[in-house]
Amino acid sequence: MTSSSEISNNHSGEENLDLTATNGINSWVDKGFTWLTYLFATITVAILFVMSWVIYKEAQPAIEKFGIGFFWGQDWDTGNQVFGALPYIYGTLVSSAIAILFAIPVGIAIAIVTSENFLPISVRSTLAFVVELIAAIPSVIIGLWGIFVFIPALEPLQKWLAIHFNWIPIFNSVDPIGTNMLTAGIVLAIMILPTMAAISRDVLLAIPKELRSASMALGSTRWETIFRVLLPAGFSGIVSAAMLALGRALGETMAVTLVIGNSSQISASLLDPAYTIPSILANEFAEAEPGLHIGSLSYLGLILFGLTLAVNIAARLFVRWFSNKNKS
């Protein structure tokens, strides 16, 4: 018979068992794969730093001449070598904000419909595939679709908003022509929708079915289970999906360039043309003269890189704060 001391020793051994421990005897394949992973991770970080350093060196003339004042300068005069980034920062942030405001609710709705059994599985799979297929369409094609199809369809609505709601600053525009901030934001929302919907769907599918069963066994309705159990459980993953989608919106170039109007004037109205950092880089970099012009465009690229980095850091801090709040 097994003594009580042997049973306690067995239990203590099980409690101290660490399946992720790496201090045991590993084969050369395991060790080689581990070092290969470390190598690729180091190369990735090194490439990121090299890219940042190259852009910083190219932006050095503009950094030395304009300094921090480049951020709120509003003039962009290549003839007089006067450059400012504020209109482009404003256009980038506002168009991306519009896109994410549209993409988050629609993406979550698609994720719920395609992950729950509201529809037959064949319909759900087809719907998820069609939404993900949008990501395979080149951005320039979406931009051309925006010019020839979406803008003519949206222009009457924009004119109606400008006539009847011009007392609201965001609609205070005289005779909008369709190529403006609102159009660019909606086109961006269409482009980032597959990222938002696909990742959110995977997050909801990964939630254990026991949570659904337990919630409904306690008397919750289907929608109470979704909004009070499933979405909070997948909150960190959904936020990550939103941040990935926002990152693409901040850096999108061709589609936005075709539909935003490319005007460097700052306007509170969403029905007026605007400009973004990727758009001006695409329009001017090929013909820019070496020196201050190239430096200013590189400075804009450095600012865009900083914006995307700040968005990702803020998202991670927010998810960590939310997790700690739930634990307490």
Side-chain angles (χ1 to χ4, degrees):
M1 295 180 65
T2 305
S3 64
S4 58
S5 60
E6 291 176 346
I7 294 176
S8 61
N9 289 335
N10 290 337
H11 282 296
S12 62
E14 292 175 358
E15 292 174 357
N16 296 328
L17 182 61
D18 184 5
L19 297 178
T20 62
T22 58
N23 56 357
I25 300 176
N26 296 324
S27 67
W28 64 271
V29 176
D30 294 335
K31 292 181 179 179
F33 180 77
T34 300
W35 284 106
L36 189 64
T37 303
Y38 288 152
L39 176 63
F40 282 130
T42 304
I43 291 174
T44 302
V45 175
I47 291 175
L48 184 64
F49 277 105
V50 170
M51 290 171 56
S52 304
W53 176 252
V54 169
I55 297 174
Y56 174 78
K57 292 296 290 182
E58 291 294 329
Q60 197 64 33
I63 294 174
E64 292 177 354
K65 182 173 178 59
F66 302 114
I68 197 70
F70 184 76
F71 283 81
W72 51 80
Q74 299 187 36
D75 297 325
W76 192 270
D77 189 346
T78 57
N80 295 320
Q81 297 289 285
V82 177
F83 302 99
L86 187 59
Y88 313 104
I89 296 174
Y90 173 80
T92 301
L93 293 178
V94 174
S95 60
S96 299
I98 295 171
I100 205 68
L101 286 176
F102 279 106
I104 286 178
V106 177
I108 293 176
I110 293 173
I112 292 173
V113 170
T114 55
S115 62
E116 299 294 316
N117 58 354
F118 294 109
L119 300 172
I121 188 168
S122 58
V123 178
R124 283 182 278 152
S125 301
T126 303
L127 180 60
F129 173 75
V130 170
V131 172
E132 293 176 9
L133 193 61
I134 299 175
I137 303 175
S139 61
V140 66
I141 301 300
I142 295 181
L144 291 174
W145 170 82
I147 291 175
F148 295 115
V149 177
F150 189 64
I151 288 178
L154 195 63
E155 190 173 350
L157 174 61
Q158 294 184 353
K159 291 182 181 294
W160 183 83
L161 290 172
I163 293 172
H164 295 88
F165 294 94
N166 56 5
W167 49 274
I168 302 176
I170 60 173
F171 298 132
N172 186 10
S173 181
V174 178
D175 193 24
I177 59 174
T179 51
N180 49 48
M181 182 80 80
L182 181 60
T183 302
I186 297 176
V187 169
L188 273 178
I190 295 171
M191 296 188 66
I192 66 177
L193 183 60
T195 302
M196 184 69 210
I199 298 178
S200 299
R201 178 175 182 264
D202 291 340
V203 168
L204 294 179
L205 288 174
I207 296 175
K209 296 185 181 297
E210 289 79 4
L211 284 178
R212 295 173 173 83
S213 302
S215 175
M216 299 185 75
L218 292 173
S220 298
T221 64
R222 185 66 174 275
W223 290 107
E224 286 175 338
T225 299
I226 291 173
F227 286 104
R228 295 187 179 184
V229 177
L230 301 185
L231 291 182
F235 178 79
S236 60
I238 293 173
V239 170
S240 299
M243 291 306 102
L244 286 174
L246 181 57
R248 182 179 181 187
L250 288 170
E252 181 51 49
T253 305
M254 291 311 301
V256 176
T257 303
L258 292 172
V259 301
I260 200 170
N262 298 326
S263 172
S264 58
Q265 300 298 317
I266 296 178
S267 174
S269 176
L270 302 181
L271 304 180
D272 286 336
Y275 226 146
T276 65
I277 293 176
S279 297
I280 193 171
L281 291 177
N283 284 334
E284 294 194 8
F285 207 94
E287 300 176 356
E289 297 180 357
L292 202 56
H293 194 184
I294 288 285
S296 298
L297 292 172
S298 300
Y299 202 171
L300 284 175
L302 199 62
I303 292 171
L304 181 61
F305 179 78
L307 286 175
T308 55
L309 188 63
V311 165
N312 283 278
I313 292 174
R316 292 189 66 86
L317 292 176
F318 179 70
V319 169
R320 183 177 298 178
W321 170 82
F322 185 82
S323 301
N324 293 335
K325 184 180 178 181
N326 283 346
K327 290 178 181 178
S328 61

